[in-house]
Amino acid sequence: MEELRQGAKVAFASSFSFYLKAHNFHWNVEGVDFKQYHDLFGNIYEEVYGSIDTFAEQIRGLGTYVPASYSRFSMLTQIEDETTILPQQEMVQELLADNEKIIKVLKILFQQSEAQGEYGFSDFVAGRIDAHRKHGWMLRASSKV
Ligand SMILES: [Fe+2]
């Protein structure tokens, strides 16, 4: 159970970091196709941000506390910060790679949850995997030349 709680915190911190990076790219993207990428990143950050409160409350349901500070997030997250302003296509490639990482983390979490018989939590995690699969499709389709 402790392993599941820890895995949930890692996935939560990673999701928050992913959300922040998508929002960063939404704000800072530039180029001739600005509007298209601004909207692509906008749709992704809004969807992921929309899952954050439920994710946190699910973690409370597992009988532990929610990490909720930048220092805790930086200790737990699997997503590296981006502090430079990238060209459009590099933003898409980086978010796509991060999206793959998130899916990997969520799949491990799903298995941990199933092993503990936490089926309600598994259901939430499965929904997140599905949402990120869709983000992957959007990012991949947008990076095709
Ligand atoms: Fe906006």
Side-chain angles (χ1 to χ4, degrees), residues 48-63:
V48 178
Y49 187 74
S51 75
I52 289 295
D53 185 60
T54 306
F55 204 156
E57 292 180 3
Q58 285 280 340
I59 290 175
R60 293 292 291 130
L62 294 175

Side-chain angles (χ1 to χ4, degrees), residues 23 26-27 38 45:
H23 211 156
H26 168 76
W27 286 324
H38 180 70
Y45 95 71

Side-chain angles (χ1 to χ4, degrees), residues 95-111:
L95 206 60
L96 182 57
D98 288 340
N99 193 63
E100 296 299 319
K101 270 188 215 164
I102 292 269
I103 290 173
K104 221 171 266 175
V105 166
L106 288 169
K107 282 183 175 175
I108 293 167
L109 185 60
F110 181 87
Q111 284 161 358

Side-chain angles (χ1 to χ4, degrees), residues 64-76:
T64 189
Y65 295 103
V66 180
S69 66
Y70 288 118
S71 57
R72 288 284 287 139
F73 286 155
S74 74
M75 281 179 222
L76 294 165

Side-chain angles (χ1 to χ4, degrees), residues 81-99:
D81 251 356
E82 184 52 73
T83 55
T84 60
I85 305 297
L86 300 173
Q88 253 172 22
Q89 269 308 317
E90 286 179 35
M91 286 181 174
V92 174
Q93 289 304 329
E94 185 170 316
L95 206 60
L96 182 57
D98 288 340
N99 193 63

